[in-house]
Amino acid sequence: MRNKHARIFRWSVILALGGFLFGFDTAVISGVEKNIQVLFHLSPLWHGFTISSALIGTIVGALFSGKPADKYGRRPVLFVLAVLFVISAVGSALATTVGAFIFYRFLGGIAVGASSVAAPMYISEISPAAVRGRMTALFQFNVIFGILGAYIANYALRSVGDDAWRWMLAVGGLPAVAWFFLLLGVPESPRFLVSIHKREKAKQVLARIDPGNAEEQLHHIYASMTSTREKLFAGKYAKPVTIAFLVAMFNQLSGINAILYYAPRIFELTGLSSSASMLQPVMIGLINGIFTILG
């Protein structure tokens, strides 16, 4: 039993690295946004649009990633997303025009949005019910540490030269490359294998998850996929759906993205030096990480 859960935990941690890349890609822009504005001579309007281009990509990725994951599998989609993270990191670091920078950040945003759908879905489908909630929560846990990692990288690279901002962006490609190769050690979702009529392969994966109950779990998957599905927006689900919608909406309306994107600038406006203003987000990230662990 312990070995079984250790294997599930290892797979879930690997899949949840998509959350780390999510957080890193979101927060790394805070260390470069001033350089981008000066380099490309951006007006306030274009500056805001350029910085938020990844957010637009995130919306697109979250909306349209479900069908490819259902058609081609969770695993292949995550491989593609890892490649997109690398292309975005390197491309935005090497960009010489604002159009190129927006394009590569947009690609990174697509990877962020799609990973927030595909990775938790994948984790939930390879995890036994008894530990599914804890395993899926690893994704959000890693988002927090991805944000912290971006702030630490920005602070560490702040003095490497006039092109320090390029190194800040490029370093995000390293965990993406690592994620790509680590994904090789994670099996395909048994639920997806059942959906494409590969019963024996699905059973083999389930046997690795829970050897004594592989056949029973396979039966449950078949039963859940053949049972009559109720509509999400049915009247009896109105309250939980509304609560979920409002939580997500107020999370964004709180202005958290502005803090993530412009944290060093905000601290610098209070009178702190450039170096100190880069350090303060690290401290906030550490505190956030501690509360995440304790909570």
Side-chain angles (χ1 to χ4, degrees):
M1 181 68 69
R2 184 173 299 175
N3 290 336
K4 174 190 70 174
H5 284 175
R7 183 182 298 117
I8 296 300
F9 180 75
R10 183 173 67 253
W11 291 346
S12 298
V13 168
I14 291 172
L15 296 172
L17 285 176
F20 181 90
L21 292 167
F22 181 135
F24 193 99
D25 190 86
T26 299
V28 72
I29 197 68
S30 66
V32 310
E33 55 89 12
K34 288 181 67 176
N35 301 86
I36 295 300
Q37 185 177 27
V38 173
L39 177 65
F40 297 129
H41 309 288
L42 300 176
S43 67
L45 176 62
W46 271 102
H47 181 230
F49 178 79
T50 301
I51 300 307
S52 63
S53 55
L55 182 59
I56 299 171
T58 299
I59 297 171
V60 174
L63 285 174
F64 297 104
S65 60
K67 286 190 176 181
D70 286 338
K71 183 175 182 180
Y72 302 109
R74 288 61 162 139
R75 194 165 179 259
V77 166
L78 291 187
F79 277 117
V80 172
L81 296 182
V83 172
L84 280 183
F85 274 119
V86 175
I87 293 173
S88 173
V90 176
S92 57
L94 297 177
T96 56
T97 66
V98 66
F101 185 85
I102 289 173
F103 173 74
Y104 286 114
R105 286 292 294 167
F106 178 78
L107 287 184
I110 290 176
V112 164
S115 68
S116 70
V117 174
M121 179 195 304
Y122 199 166
I123 294 171
S124 69
E125 291 178 352
I126 63 169
S127 302
V131 296
R132 187 169 298 149
R134 280 174 284 169
M135 296 300 104
T136 306
L138 286 171
F139 184 88
Q140 185 59 40
F141 184 83
N142 269 0
V143 171
I144 300 301
F145 282 91
I147 293 172
L148 174 60
Y151 288 146
I152 292 174
N154 287 348
Y155 181 73
L157 296 170
R158 73 192 186 284
S159 302
V160 297
D162 294 336
D163 289 332
W165 68 273
R166 295 187 184 275
W167 289 104
M168 293 175 187
L169 291 168
V171 75
L174 296 178
V177 170
W179 192 40
F180 181 92
F181 288 104
L182 287 170
L183 285 171
L184 294 171
V186 181
E188 181 55 270
S189 158
R191 187 176 183 86
F192 170 73
L193 292 172
V194 168
S195 73
I196 59 173
H197 311 294
K198 292 187 176 181
R199 176 189 172 92
E200 287 306 312
K201 285 190 176 181
K203 189 174 179 179
Q204 289 171 13
V205 175
L206 290 169
R208 296 176 67 187
I209 295 172
D210 192 351
N213 295 302
E215 190 65 43
E216 181 182 351
Q217 292 302 316
L218 190 64
H219 174 75
H220 286 321
I221 291 174
Y222 269 107
S224 67
M225 296 180 70
T226 56
S227 61
T228 303
R229 297 183 179 180
E230 296 183 273
K231 293 183 178 180
L232 177 62
F233 295 102
K236 66 178 182 178
Y237 298 128
K239 184 176 180 179
V241 169
T242 300
I243 292 173
F245 175 81
L246 291 175
V247 168
M249 183 179 75
F250 285 116
N251 177 58
Q252 296 304 305
L253 292 178
S254 69
I256 185 59
N257 285 325
I259 301 299
L260 294 175
Y261 294 162
Y262 300 106
R265 182 186 288 248
I266 292 170
F267 283 112
E268 195 168 348
L269 289 173
T270 67
L272 294 177
S273 66
S274 177
S275 178
S277 66
M278 295 285 280
L279 178 61
Q280 291 306 308
V282 176
M283 304 308 295
I284 293 175
L286 282 171
I287 294 172
N288 196 11
I290 291 171
F291 276 106
T292 300
I293 294 172
L294 296 177

